[in-house]
Amino acid sequence: MKILAHIYEAHKKEFLCKIYSENKTVSACAKRTVLKSNQLVAGDKVLLEKNGNEYQIVDLIDRTNEIFRMNIRERKKRVTAANCDLVIIATSVSRPPYKRGVIDRFATRSFQWDVPAVVIFNKMDEFQDDFDIDFEMRRFENLGIECFEVSAKYPENPTRFGRGSFKDLQKKLVNTQTIILGQSGVGKSKLITSLSDMEVILVSNEIGRSGKGSHTTTWSEMIDCGTFRIIDSPGIRSFSLDDISPEELINFFPDLLTISLTCQFNNCQHDSSTKGCAFYGGDTDPQTADIIKSRLSSYKKIMEEISGTPAWQKKSS
Ligand SMILES: Nc1nc2c(ncn2[C@@H]2O[C@H](COP(=O)(O)OP(=O)(O)OP(=O)(O)O)[C@@H](O)[C@H]2O)c(=O)[nH]1
Ligand SMILES: [Mg+2]
Ligand SMILES: [Zn+2]
């Protein structure tokens, strides 16, 4: 008899699986044929077989989506989670400092993965009004990405900028399997423990003097939070979008894509200073114009990166 289970933790050869029908968590190994064709990850649905007291994963159920990162050294995609209904892009507004470019990259990925995203501005209890947070939020809202301003440390804190609060975020998560992504130290693990209606224990470490996180979470792990599940993930060290081709990049910038479709030039590099380009002069609404301008600048930065000759090719030539 085959038993349906969800992977909560995936190690090299050992997988922590939850069998909902029996309300228990078991450790399982995987059949060689399954491992050969797939890298099993947190969030995967699998079929188990029981032999004596041992469980073995004998089948992987087709994924609805894959969350991956690029392993730069191996130049390979590494799937880190699967079957996510939502991506939480978490950022801190104090330490580590807010980095627009990093959030833009995560947003680009979420469009590539075809999984809806929200951005959480965490550590609002420490916000010093040192950047225009309202503009940043409008920038993502213009992309259809909902923003929340919260403090994982003081969840009851009222919001200041009229965006979603901690309670709104909890509501949004009901019945989802969500992955939380972001740099080390932004408070991903702390957010999960605060969001959960059950007791959850995850390690969070203090931010060092440098203002950076200490890479406390070292592997992806799914956590039951009562009415929803969240996959905690390790903070990123480097962020490569190298697998995306220059031609397809615009598809993952839906706000720019709409405008670019009206551009009259073929193979246009798109620039607000090129007469005749759809981006020329910016939007008629000055507020939207600033947003589009800064998004175009992010787009170009990434474009430059992915258009460059990859390092491994440079070496051999
Ligand atoms: N003041 C304040 N501190 C917070 C908040 N959320 C998290 N922190 C602190 O920030 C530090 C880092 O939090 P973590 O939860 O470990 O961050 P992380 O994103 O999981 O980091 P990695 O696991 O390294 O990727 C801890 O000392 C937390 O207590 C918040 O809303 N306000
Ligand atoms: Mg963590
Ligand atoms: Zn153009």
Side-chain angles (χ1 to χ4, degrees), residues 38-49:
N38 306 280
Q39 192 180 352
L40 300 174
V41 294
D44 265 332
K45 277 193 215 173
V46 292
L47 295 177
L48 300 178
E49 259 175 18

Side-chain angles (χ1 to χ4, degrees), residues 6 38 41-46 60-68 79 81-87 110-116 176-179 229 231:
H6 286 61
N38 306 280
V41 294
D44 265 332
K45 277 193 215 173
V46 292
L60 169 68
I61 294 175
D62 285 347
R63 293 169 174 157
T64 54
N65 54 50
E66 292 181 334
I67 306 298
F68 60 83
V79 179
N83 304 321
C84 294
D85 305 301
L86 186 73
V87 170
S110 82
F111 288 111
Q112 184 190 20
W113 295 328
D114 200 17
V115 183
T176 67
Q177 178 164 305
T178 294
I179 184 159
R229 301 187 285 272
I231 299 174

